């Protein structure tokens, strides 16, 4: 495993994070086994959100933590807030009142007194950055959150938040995979813009790098917006051919190579994996043990459907 230094305490965090969006149908003991496996593989960072399973995913992790109290200090927990569903309507809410209530809800479900990182989940176009500052300052002062960050945001949104929020924006979690990388354009500048959730701004990686913001990539094995896994998919014959070849050269799985492709970006970056299977956690953790070279990086990029000018 490889590690980065994260946040105000320079916490040593694994470059592979285990995402827990898909655990709602698992039992607490199955989730505990998944977490223990991750820890054995060197993965010490875990990603949640208050909306995953409508709170159920956090509740399950809370049950695990209360039945195994020693576990809390071994794991770094991140959660996210800002997505609401009221009477069937989905919307985004960065108001002070909502953020403050959401943090308390997260702590209650997780049965913990603090989370290590809180991200604002998807950009609320109606955000008032002063209100975000008040909510975050209060939560940090109370020891409820350690670090603050954002998710699915383009550079201007982050600058707007930075204008008023005193806490550092430590991370930006964005959708990124070898088959879906609108934020990387290798010189064509065709992908500017954002649509309230999918960052297509072709300067976001460099912006994060320049501002020492950790990039966290989500859905690292998916194409489109949750359309499916590209590993082994006949929709991506060229990509699979290249991944399979490099995988056999490196002695890891094709999925691990696809994740190593993300981790190759030369600034602090983490890949959030979403598997619920123990054997896959072990297989994917190996992504951090290999390094693909520049030629392989561009080969995968083009095999994923991108063109170079
Ligand atoms: N910030 C955001 O807006 C945002 C959005 C979405 C997700 N996330 C975070 O990112 C995490 C990962 O997202 P994701 O679950 O979409 O990521 P992913 O790792 O790309 O996809 C995982 C899914 O692919 C399946 N899968 C099928 N074949 C696989 C293989 N060979 N290797 C690995 N998985 C395979 C897994 O099934 P099995 O479980 O059967 O292995 C699982 O259902 C989430 O848990 C969440 O924490 C954040």
């Amino acid at each position: 495993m490889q590690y980065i230094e994260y946040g105000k305490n320079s916490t040593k965090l694994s470059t592979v994070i285990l995402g827990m969006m898909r655990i709602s149908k698992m039992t607490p003991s199955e989730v505990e086994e998944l977490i223990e496996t991750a820890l054995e593989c060197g993965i010490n960072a875990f990603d949640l959100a208050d909306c995953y399973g409508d709170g159920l995913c956090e509740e399950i992790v809370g049950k695990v933590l209360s039945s195994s109290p020693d576990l809390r200090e071994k794991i770094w927990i991140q959660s996210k807030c800002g997505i609401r569903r009221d009477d069937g309507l989905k919307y985004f809410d960065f108001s002070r009142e909502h953020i403050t209530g959401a943090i308390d809800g997260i702590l209650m479900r997780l049965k913990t007194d603090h989370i290590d990182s809180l991200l604002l989940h998807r950009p609320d176009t109606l955000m008032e950055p002063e209100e975000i500052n008040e909510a975050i300052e209060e939560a940090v002062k109370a020891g409820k959150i350690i670090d603050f960050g954002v998710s699915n945001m383009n550079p201007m949104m982050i600058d707007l938040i930075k204008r008023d929020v005193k806490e550092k924006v430590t991370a930006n979690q964005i959708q990124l995979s070898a088959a879906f990388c609108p934020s990387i354009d290798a010189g064509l500048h065709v992908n500017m813009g954002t649509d309230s959730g999918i960052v297509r701004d072709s300067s976001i990686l460099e912006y994060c790098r320049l501002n020492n913001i950790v990039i966290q990539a989500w859905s690292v094995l998916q194409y489109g917006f949750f359309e499916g896994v590209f590993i082994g998919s006949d929709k991506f014959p060229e990509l699979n051919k290249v991944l399979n070849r490099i995988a056999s050269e490196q002695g890891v799985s094709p999925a691990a190579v696809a994740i190593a492709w993300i981790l190759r970006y030369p600034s602090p970056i983490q890949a959030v994996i979403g598997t619920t299977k123990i054997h896959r956690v072990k297989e994917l953790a190996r992504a951090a043990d290999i390094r693909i070279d520049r030629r392989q990086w561009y080969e995968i990029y083009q095999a994923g459907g991108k063109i170079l000018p």
Side-chain angles (χ1 to χ4, degrees):
M1 184 53 60
Q2 299 289 320
Y3 296 88
I4 58 165
E5 285 191 357
Y6 191 99
K8 53 171 75 92
N9 297 331
S10 302
T11 308
K12 192 180 148 198
L13 283 194
S14 51
T15 53
V16 177
I17 299 178
L18 183 61
M20 313 205 89
M21 179 181 72
R22 300 178 190 266
I23 63 163
S24 62
K25 296 201 168 62
M26 295 171 74
T27 65
S29 64
E30 287 168 337
V31 171
E32 182 165 2
E33 207 186 344
L34 197 67
I35 293 174
E36 292 288 1
T37 303
L39 284 169
E40 282 161 23
C41 297
I43 297 171
N44 63 357
F46 298 83
D47 182 69
L48 282 151
D50 60 355
C51 63
Y52 292 166
D54 280 329
L56 194 54
C57 297
E58 288 178 336
E59 265 176 42
I60 295 170
V61 174
K63 285 184 182 154
V64 173
L65 293 178
S66 58
S67 69
S68 302
D70 294 349
L71 200 54
R72 178 65 189 95
E73 65 183 28
K74 293 187 200 155
I75 66 175
W76 178 92
I77 303 180
Q78 171 169 273
S79 192
K80 307 187 263 322
C81 71
I83 298 181
R84 292 185 70 164
R85 268 187 201 87
D86 283 346
D87 288 334
L89 181 75
K90 181 180 188 178
Y91 61 102
F92 305 151
D93 187 348
F94 289 178
S95 64
R96 177 185 181 169
E97 189 187 16
H98 180 72
I99 294 172
T100 302
I103 293 170
D104 288 341
I106 290 168
L107 298 181
M108 191 189 65
R109 285 186 293 277
L110 285 173
K111 297 190 189 354
T112 185
D113 61 351
H114 77 281
I115 50 169
D116 301 283
S117 164
L118 177 85
L119 306 185
L120 299 179
H121 204 157
R122 287 188 183 276
D124 173 11
T125 309
L126 306 181
M127 71 171 103
E128 302 287 358
E130 304 91 335
E131 283 195 42
I132 299 174
N133 181 53
E134 286 165 11
I136 298 302
E137 284 284 283
E138 191 183 297
V140 169
K141 256 190 209 126
K144 294 178 180 177
I145 64 175
I146 309 287
D147 286 308
F148 163 72
V150 299
S151 171
N152 301 304
M153 296 212 188
N154 68 29
M156 284 298 173
M157 290 165 178
I158 299 176
D159 274 352
L160 181 60
I161 286 175
K162 278 170 65 177
R163 191 191 65 187
D164 292 303
V165 177
K166 293 190 188 77
E167 279 295 312
K168 181 174 167 19
V169 175
T170 308
N172 185 23
Q173 193 172 100
I174 59 170
Q175 187 177 6
L176 191 60
S177 78
F180 186 92
C181 49
S183 54
I184 306 176
D185 74 10
L188 288 174
H189 302 294
V190 289
N191 292 314
M192 297 300 281
T194 183
D195 61 11
S196 240
I198 298 174
V199 179
R200 299 176 192 279
D201 190 312
S202 60
S203 66
I204 189 63
L205 297 185
E206 289 76 14
Y207 174 89
C208 290
R209 194 173 173 186
L210 279 166
N211 288 279
N212 299 317
I213 294 173
V214 174
I215 300 157
Q216 295 181 349
W218 57 266
S219 285
V220 287
L221 299 175
Q222 308 274 323
Y223 61 91
F225 191 69
F226 299 116
E227 281 175 48
V229 174
F230 58 80
I231 301 294
S233 163
D234 54 17
K235 287 197 166 92
F236 296 89
E238 199 50 40
L239 180 57
N240 277 291
K241 202 170 108 192
V242 173
L243 292 174
N244 287 340
R245 196 201 73 233
I246 299 172
S248 65
E249 284 164 13
Q250 300 265 13
V252 295
S253 71
V257 175
I259 293 169
W261 180 82
I262 285 171
L263 298 178
R264 179 62 180 78
Y265 190 71
S267 78
I269 185 161
Q270 296 173 293
V272 192
I273 59 169
T275 184
T276 56
K277 303 290 183 309
I278 278 168
H279 71 276
R280 287 200 176 122
V281 170
K282 292 179 183 167
E283 165 203 327
L284 301 179
R286 296 202 56 207
D289 299 331
I290 62 162
R291 181 177 162 88
I292 56 170
D293 64 25
R294 179 176 264 103
R295 190 182 185 286
Q296 290 167 332
W297 192 92
Y298 278 102
E299 198 181 359
I300 293 169
Y301 177 73
Q302 291 176 83
K306 292 291 209 135
I307 47 168
L308 291 186

